[in-house]
Structures are given as C-alpha cells and as structure tokens.
Amino acid sequence: MNNETPKKIGTMKHNPVNITKTVFVYFFLVLFLLWILVPFYIILVTSFKTEAEVNETIFTWFPVKGFYFGGYKAIFETPIGYISIMTGFLNTLWIILPPTILGLLTSAFSAYAFAKLKFRGKNVLFAILLATMMIPGMVSLVPSFVIFDNIGWNKTPLPMMIPGMFGAAACVFYLRQFFMGIPSETLEAARLDGVGYFGMFFKMLLPLSVPALIAQGVLGFVGGYNDYFGPMLYLSGTKYETLQVALASFAGNYQGQWNHIMASTIVALIPTIAIYLIAQRYFIEGIAVSGLK
C-alpha cells in the first residue's frame, strides 16, 4: 500500500486532463493580458512616431523613422499644451481629492454602522442602499442637473464635489464586508473598558482596515480622475476644467496629429499608474479580502 500511494499521486499530477486544463487556462490568461496591454503599447509607440509615419497606411509596431518627441514638447513647451494640460491636472486634484477623502470616511462610518452596530431596520436600510447600485446614473442625470442649476451650482465645481462627500453605495458595501470579518468580541471588550463608538471606530477599526481603505480610495480617485461627462456637463468653458476636458480641447487643437494626442494620453496616464504601483500591495489585498469576507 505504501508503495502504491506515491504512484497514484504522481499519476494524478501528470494526468493529461489536468495538463490540458492548465494549458487552456494559461492560454486565455495570456490572450486576455495581450488584449489589455496591446492598446497601451500602440498608444505609447504612436506618441514617439513622426507625423509622416503616423499617417502612413501601413502600421508599424516600432518607430522605424526614429523617435519623435514633438508631441511631448507640445504639452510642456507650448502655451496651449502647458496651460490646458497642467491647469486641468491641478483642477482635477483639488476637485477630486476632497470628495475622495471625505467620501471614504463617510462610507466607512456607514459601513461600521451596518457591520457592527445593532439598530432597528438595519437590514432593510442596507437592502435599499444596495438597490441604489442598480439604478443607472443616466436616470438621475436630468433631475440632478435641474437641481444644481436652480441652486446656482452650474458652472462651479460644487456638483463634482459635494455629492461625493456623502460616500458611495459600492464603497459602503465593500467596507462593510471587510468590517464583518473583524471579530466583534474585540470591539465588545473595548466597549467594556469604556471606549465609545467613535473610539472603537478610529482606534481599532480604521487601523485594521488600511488595505480596504486604500483600495477603495484608489478606486474612488481613479474614477473621479477619469470622469469626463460630469466635468464636461458642469465645468466646460470655465476656468475649472479638469484634465479629461482639457485633453479633449488639446486633441481638438491638434486634430489629426495622433502623435501629439497619444503623447497627451500618456502624460495623463502617468499619475494613475504611479498611484497603482505605489499602493499595489494594499490595493490587491483590500479587494481580495473585501470580496471574500
């Protein structure tokens, strides 16, 4: 029996069916990876091509006529590029960061209440909160615009900032899942020691929830950073235009010059890529734990 057991295990490991499944899975993973990376590579390569090479009918996977940096110079050395792109980037930061940070804190408060506090109607309120995630944003677009216009918020950053400060349903859901995994006995022991609800939240839950908070913070920032429709609707034609609106204006000034347009796209991508690389470990850990608990 002892001699036969290793043979059976070895046969299971080298089972042709298992090998076929593994090859099949890795093949589609590589195919999906290429599906994601190839467009980014095309954008990067195009940004370094000359205008003549960009407009050729035959596509080349490398700048065969040499590297051309005119697109990047147009961003940093011309008034049109520098003022529009850099000003749009700064506007994006000060418009997006406050609702991202305050909205994350508000969502964490709500998640804490739904996960650890006991009050009447908690499950019903949480179900209503989840139901709001099913409502398409376009349904509330016109009513929201009418309300903001009537109270004088149109052409100001307030419609982009104030609603986000009250949190987001998806963020509340993921943080609640994370908080549910923290033992309630620990909080109860702290409560017996005289720690209040706010003390338990700030001194215990928040330090234990750093990965989840960073993950949701990154998602919230990237979502606001990439938003085009909202700033175009409320801020177009004002001094508060964000980066995405500025990119559209920049592309209009260099219409047909794809090397310049792709260069501006690469410059706009750098902050989000840098944020992801810095917070990658916390981001993956926060998403995985929040989804599993």
Side-chain angles (χ1 to χ4, degrees):
M1 290 294 293
N2 294 333
N3 295 330
E4 292 179 358
T5 303
K7 293 182 180 180
K8 292 181 179 179
I9 296 175
T11 304
M12 291 174 62
K13 288 183 177 179
H14 296 89
N15 191 332
V17 176
N18 293 333
I19 295 176
T20 304
K21 289 182 179 179
T22 303
V23 172
F24 186 77
V25 169
Y26 276 98
F27 171 77
F28 277 95
L29 286 175
V30 172
L31 191 64
F32 183 73
L33 179 65
L34 293 176
W35 180 267
I36 298 297
L37 292 182
V38 168
F40 287 101
Y41 176 76
I42 293 175
I43 293 173
L44 181 63
V45 169
T46 305
S47 69
F48 290 110
K49 290 182 178 180
T50 63
E51 188 172 347
E53 187 175 359
V54 168
N55 293 319
E56 287 182 351
T57 56
I58 300 177
F59 176 77
T60 56
W61 291 92
F62 195 78
V64 295
K65 296 184 178 180
F67 285 85
Y68 174 72
F69 296 92
Y72 294 94
K73 290 181 179 179
I75 297 173
F76 296 104
E77 295 183 2
T78 63
I80 295 176
Y82 183 81
I83 293 176
S84 62
I85 301 297
M86 294 299 106
T87 303
F89 176 71
L90 295 176
N91 286 339
T92 299
L93 289 183
W94 74 263
I95 290 175
I96 296 304
L97 283 178
T100 299
I101 297 173
L102 293 179
L104 185 63
L105 181 62
T106 305
S107 298
F109 272 127
S110 301
Y112 168 55
F114 284 122
K116 297 302 181 183
L117 302 185
K118 296 179 180 179
F119 55 91
R120 184 176 299 177
K122 181 175 72 171
N123 294 331
V124 175
L125 290 176
F126 186 68
I128 295 174
L129 179 70
L130 293 182
T132 61
M133 298 172 59
M134 305 296 110
I135 302 175
M138 291 299 171
V139 173
S140 61
L141 176 63
V142 174
S144 298
F145 181 82
V146 172
I147 293 173
F148 293 144
D149 188 52
N150 287 334
I151 62 178
W153 284 10
N154 194 17
K155 300 301 181 181
T156 70
L158 295 179
M160 308 300 304
M161 300 178 68
I162 301 301
M165 294 180 181
F166 291 92
C171 186
V172 173
F173 170 74
Y174 283 111
L175 290 179
R176 175 187 176 272
Q177 297 302 105
F178 191 92
F179 291 162
M180 291 286 287
I182 298 176
S184 300
E185 292 78 8
T186 305
L187 301 180
E188 291 296 332
R191 187 179 179 185
L192 293 176
D193 290 338
V195 180
Y197 291 116
F198 286 98
M200 288 188 291
F201 177 77
F202 285 106
K203 295 180 181 179
M204 302 185 68
L205 278 181
L206 286 189
L208 294 173
S209 308
V210 170
L213 293 172
I214 291 179
Q216 294 304 312
V218 170
L219 289 175
F221 176 82
V222 172
Y225 185 88
N226 292 330
D227 185 19
Y228 170 74
F229 189 77
M232 185 271 294
L233 182 64
Y234 294 107
L235 305 177
S236 182
T238 69
K239 62 180 181 180
Y240 305 113
E241 288 185 350
T242 60
L243 179 60
Q244 304 305 323
V245 179
L247 286 176
S249 301
F250 182 85
N253 292 323
Y254 290 93
Q255 190 172 4
Q257 296 177 279
W258 293 105
N259 47 0
H260 291 70
I261 297 173
M262 296 304 172
S264 65
T265 303
I266 293 296
V267 171
L269 281 173
I270 291 176
T272 54
I273 294 175
I275 290 174
Y276 176 75
L277 292 177
I278 293 172
Q280 180 180 12
R281 179 170 66 89
Y282 297 102
F283 180 79
I284 296 175
E285 182 182 350
I287 291 295
V289 176
S290 298
L292 290 175
K293 291 196 179 230

